[in-house]
Each structure stands twice: as C-alpha cells, then as structure tokens.
Amino acid sequence: MPRARRICPKPGCPRPIEGRAYCSEHEREADRARGTKTQRGYGTDFQRKRRVFERAFQELGTINCWRCQHPIHNGEPWHLGHDDHNRDIIRGPEHPTCNLTAAGQAAHRYERTL
C-alpha cells in the first residue's frame, strides 16, 4: 500500500513529500546541519575499526553484540556501535535493532536499564 503524501515538516513549507523526511530543499539543509561523517563519529578511525571487525567476522563466523550479548553471524547486517555517552569510544558490533533502539532512546532522553 502506498504511503500517504505528507507536507514538509519545516515550518512554513507547503511542499508535499513522499518517502522522505523533508522536501528536497529542506532535506539538504537538515543533512548539512547533521555535520560531516567525521563530525558525526564515522571518520577514518571508525572505518578502520569496522574493517577489523569485518575480518573478525570472516575468521570467527560469529561475534556477540556488545549491547545484548546475543550472537551476530557472519553475513547478517550489523552496526559498529559507539559508546552511549562518548562517541569517540567505539564499543563493537551490535545488531541494527540494538543500535537504533539505543539511538532512539537517547534522542528522547530515556534511560537504558539493564
């Protein structure tokens, strides 16, 4: 079923959007406001560490998610997760669901309880 068309959420913008967060003009604005990959914590060091974990997956076949401690098998999608309080610290591989849940909780200021 196709998604309903919405109006760009930028105040005062009447443009319809479909399948995006903003209209094309305001999407570029929002992307610039996010900063570069390096500013967001995905620079050269992050890419190097991701390659190290990719090789580990190939050798070991399975690595545990640093958040939930359940296995991630070689070939499954995974994210390389940052520390929740310091994005300069890379914790390790995690399930996309674990990563995105933590990001959503942080965005809404929920405390993660273990």
Side-chain angles (χ1 to χ4, degrees), residues 18-68:
E18 192 171 323
R20 296 186 309 216
Y22 294 93
C23 68
S24 56
E25 177 186 341
H26 295 119
E27 193 164 50
R28 284 189 300 273
E29 242 177 60
D31 197 41
R32 278 192 301 273
R34 290 176 62 207
T36 65
K37 283 184 178 184
T38 301
Q39 290 168 328
R40 293 191 328 260
Y42 302 110
T44 306
D45 187 46
F46 180 87
Q47 295 301 323
R48 188 179 312 116
K49 289 178 180 176
R50 183 165 172 88
R51 284 191 297 274
V52 167
F53 280 108
E54 285 173 349
R55 284 192 296 274
F57 270 114
Q58 291 169 356
E59 291 175 18
L60 300 173
T62 300
I63 294 179
N64 285 346
C65 171
W66 79 268
R67 285 189 190 276
C68 72

Side-chain angles (χ1 to χ4, degrees), residues 6-17 22-26:
R6 301 179 306 130
I7 301 297
C8 178
K10 181 79 172 183
C13 182
R15 294 184 192 100
I17 57 172
Y22 294 93
C23 68
S24 56
E25 177 186 341
H26 295 119

